[in-house]
Amino acid sequence: MEFSHNDNNYLPLTKFESMLKTNHVLFFDSEEFENIIHHYLNQGKIALAKKAIKLGLDQHPTSINLRLFKVELYVFEDKLPEADMLLNELHNIDPSNEEVYIQKANVFSKKDNHEQAIQVLKQALELTSDVVDLYSLIGMEYLFLDKYEDAKTYFMKCLEADVDDYSALYNVIYCFEFLNQNEEAISYLNIFLDKNPYCEVAWHQLGKQYFTLKDYKKALTAFDFAIISDDTFVGAYLERGKVLEQLKRYEDAIENYTITLKLDEPTSFALLRIGNCHEKLGNTDLALQYYDRTVHEDPLLDKGWIAITKFYNKRGDNQKSLFFINKAINIDSENVIYWKLYAQINQRLKLYEEAEHGYKKALELGNYELNTWLSRGDLLIKLGEPEAAVFNFQQALEFYPENAELEYRLAGLFFTLKEHAKATFHLKNGFKLNEDYAFIIDELFPKISEELLVKNILKQIYK
């Protein structure tokens, strides 16, 4: 029970807190203690909940409910052996108490023994008529086991018992989506909506399923019904805006996104989408205005910084692109996409050392795309660092072991370093993999390709 300042239930809490300040022990009945403990647990005030449990058990040592609260705290603090021991005592006293089974399942779950937790929860089902919470708990345990079909079944049982259990509805759809069962999700939602035609959440989820299947006309209709059911439903306007963008109805999309700004606090997503729509419509000043608002609203949203950077990229303004990507990196230096853009912009500006540093950072952060290895290596060649370039391409070969572009580059580098045996080895490998890439030698190593030794090796290979 939640205490309210406007009802008599608040009095025991006031009395209890007064008692703690004065050290005068006052009497409370067990139900009052339960409400006090429940209040503190909901507020996250664990120390006060502990005090209330201790005092409660001092006054009511046989209360099973108060001892169950003690179990709950044991589980919260990972004192699972203590929780087990107390639960066994309680089970011996009251073997038909469903809450004992629920807490036992909670202990099993904390131990990652989800199968056992499910068995215990199913036992609890036989002891109560209030099954909805148990269905939900069983569904969650199946999710932990990645058994999405079983989880879906139990969340559906929740909805059969309570059509307003939106948490269960979201979980049902999550299971459908994980199983790539979009058509089945649509069928389920349509049946659900036949019984609950004004459920805005179901309409919203139906629209998202149609959107995934690229059936934009039906998606739009579903979001329309979600808005009819609740004209303040921000999520439906956002999704409707996304559909309208796909249909290239950018002005209508802007209208939907703008509604969300009036209904609730502005979201960086809506601001970004409005900016994107204005850019598509050629409203460059408005686009930039909304991109600026996006990064101001949420400086950690990488899509906002990327949008601004690419906005200037498209207009050939590399200096401004570089300015904004530097700002982005200052905020989040671990973002791979930022470093890739940083490298590409510097490369266009012929700032090769900075560009190479950008690609190197991208690789360090786990961006192992072939193009990143190639771009960095080619820059190292241009900067006159053949040994570093060799090391770069050799690392790349670990990820792309049969790649002609890498082999030809290594061949050219080893010729440059006068390591002819290695050069010949890689040149033959490159030719074997794809002779069409032999132009790389001429393009990246023009002096090497003119050497007599290289010409003779190439002649032998081409025979």
Side-chain angles (χ1 to χ4, degrees):
M1 176 187 293
E2 278 299 307
F3 290 109
S4 165
H5 288 266
N6 300 319
D7 61 35
N8 293 328
N9 290 318
Y10 186 69
L11 295 174
L13 183 64
T14 305
K15 191 170 83 167
F16 179 78
E17 293 185 348
S18 175
M19 180 185 76
L20 293 178
K21 290 174 185 175
T22 60
N23 286 326
H24 291 169
V25 178
L26 303 175
F27 180 82
F28 297 83
D29 66 38
S30 62
E31 188 177 341
E32 286 176 324
F33 269 119
E34 288 171 32
N35 291 336
I36 290 165
I37 295 161
H38 186 70
H39 170 79
Y40 285 138
L41 289 175
N42 279 352
Q43 296 287 315
K45 297 177 179 178
I46 304 302
L48 286 170
K50 279 186 178 179
K51 285 183 181 179
I53 290 169
K54 184 181 183 305
L55 289 168
L57 286 170
D58 287 344
Q59 294 185 14
H60 307 280
T62 61
S63 169
I64 288 179
N65 285 345
L66 292 176
R67 293 167 83 182
L68 281 166
F69 274 123
K70 192 170 185 178
V71 170
E72 197 172 327
L73 279 182
Y74 278 146
V75 174
F76 177 78
E77 295 174 334
D78 277 330
K79 295 179 178 177
L80 302 184
E82 292 91 334
D84 262 332
M85 192 179 300
L86 185 49
L87 281 168
N88 288 335
E89 287 178 28
L90 296 175
H91 183 263
N92 290 334
I93 296 167
D94 186 3
S96 62
N97 188 318
E98 72 198 67
E99 190 61 35
V100 172
Y101 288 86
I102 290 170
Q103 289 301 335
K104 269 183 170 288
N106 197 12
V107 172
F108 280 124
S109 188
K110 289 279 278 190
K111 293 177 179 177
D112 289 330
N113 191 346
H114 302 294
E115 292 281 7
Q116 194 65 48
I118 290 166
Q119 293 308 312
V120 173
L121 289 169
K122 286 181 177 179
Q123 286 177 277
L125 279 175
E126 299 170 10
L127 301 171
T128 181
S129 57
D130 187 13
V131 295
V132 178
D133 287 343
L134 287 169
Y135 286 150
S136 181
L137 289 170
I138 293 170
M140 291 306 298
E141 294 299 323
Y142 276 124
L143 282 184
F144 288 133
L145 291 167
D146 294 336
K147 293 187 175 181
Y148 294 96
E149 285 291 355
D150 293 315
K152 186 171 63 176
T153 299
Y154 276 91
F155 290 128
M156 285 177 176
K157 286 177 182 285
C158 293
L159 286 167
E160 287 166 15
D162 178 9
V163 293
D164 293 324
D165 187 350
Y166 293 155
S167 175
L169 181 58
Y170 284 122
N171 281 325
V172 168
I173 301 306
Y174 172 77
C175 292
F176 275 124
E177 288 179 343
F178 193 90
L179 295 164
N180 293 317
Q181 296 175 344
N182 302 103
E183 295 284 1
E184 292 87 342
I186 287 169
S187 297
Y188 177 80
L189 286 165
N190 277 318
I191 292 168
F192 183 87
L193 284 162
D194 285 341
K195 299 173 186 174
N196 312 279
Y198 295 103
C199 179
E200 70 278 9
V201 173
W203 283 116
H204 179 247
Q205 291 299 313
L206 181 62
K208 289 178 73 174
Q209 297 306 309
Y210 282 128
F211 185 86
T212 300
L213 296 176
K214 298 186 178 358
D215 192 338
Y216 300 124
K217 185 177 179 182
K218 286 183 179 177
L220 201 60
T221 302
F223 293 131
D224 284 342
F225 278 112
I227 291 166
I228 289 167
S229 303
D230 178 3
D231 62 3
T232 65
F233 190 0
V234 170
Y237 287 107
L238 288 173
E239 295 294 337
R240 193 172 189 276
K242 285 166 61 178
V243 176
L244 290 165
E245 279 195 74
Q246 292 297 323
L247 296 172
K248 303 191 185 309
R249 292 168 54 183
Y250 299 116
E251 290 178 354
D252 292 333
I254 289 169
E255 183 183 342
N256 277 262
Y257 292 134
T258 303
I259 290 170
T260 71
L261 305 183
K262 296 172 183 174
L263 289 173
D264 203 352
E265 292 294 318
T267 64
S268 54
F269 176 82
L271 294 168
L272 177 63
R273 297 320 309 162
I274 292 172
N276 187 259
C277 289
H278 277 303
E279 189 173 355
K280 292 281 175 59
L281 290 167
N283 304 329
T284 54
D285 290 343
L286 282 170
L288 191 55
Q289 179 185 319
Y290 277 97
Y291 290 150
D292 284 335
R293 285 183 65 185
T294 300
V295 295
H296 179 76
E297 184 68 32
D298 183 3
L300 294 177
L301 181 71
D302 58 357
K303 290 180 180 177
W305 294 107
I306 291 165
I308 293 179
T309 302
K310 289 187 174 180
F311 176 89
Y312 285 114
N313 270 352
K314 290 171 191 171
R315 284 149 188 81
D317 194 336
N318 293 315
Q319 290 294 346
K320 281 193 175 175
S321 292
L322 188 60
F323 171 77
F324 281 104
I325 207 62
N326 274 321
K327 286 188 75 169
I329 288 170
N330 286 335
I331 293 168
D332 180 7
S333 62
E334 302 297 303
N335 190 301
V336 172
I337 300 172
Y338 291 168
W339 284 108
K340 285 286 291 282
L341 283 169
Y342 172 87
Q344 290 161 4
I345 295 163
N346 277 296
Q347 197 164 356
R348 283 197 294 274
L349 288 167
K350 300 189 180 345
L351 301 171
Y352 299 125
E353 287 186 13
E354 290 84 351
E356 186 273 326
H357 174 66
Y359 287 121
K360 183 181 179 184
K361 285 292 294 184
L363 289 166
E364 287 171 356
L365 291 168
N367 180 254
Y368 300 136
E369 294 173 4
L370 177 62
N371 185 58
T372 308
W373 294 106
L374 294 174
S375 297
R376 180 182 179 234
D378 290 352
L379 284 167
L380 287 167
I381 293 168
K382 191 182 285 287
L383 290 166
E385 297 185 36
E387 290 90 351
V390 165
F391 183 66
N392 172 81
F393 292 130
Q394 285 176 332
Q395 283 183 299
L397 271 178
E398 293 178 19
F399 295 91
Y400 304 93
E402 294 188 353
N403 185 276
E405 292 182 85
L406 295 173
E407 295 287 358
Y408 282 115
R409 281 169 167 84
L410 281 167
L413 284 163
F414 281 122
F415 277 126
T416 303
L417 295 168
K418 309 299 182 187
E419 296 187 44
H420 296 136
K422 289 181 180 177
T424 303
F425 170 79
H426 287 290
L427 189 58
K428 287 179 178 178
N429 279 350
F431 189 81
K432 193 188 306 178
L433 290 167
N434 192 333
E435 61 185 78
D436 292 338
Y437 280 109
F439 71 86
I440 288 171
I441 298 291
D442 292 327
E443 191 171 279
L444 292 179
F445 309 96
K447 292 180 181 177
I448 294 297
S449 68
E450 293 301 316
E451 290 185 10
L452 184 61
L453 174 65
V454 179
K455 285 183 176 180
N456 287 336
I457 292 169
L458 285 170
K459 281 180 185 176
Q460 291 173 11
I461 292 171
Y462 276 106
K463 280 183 181 178

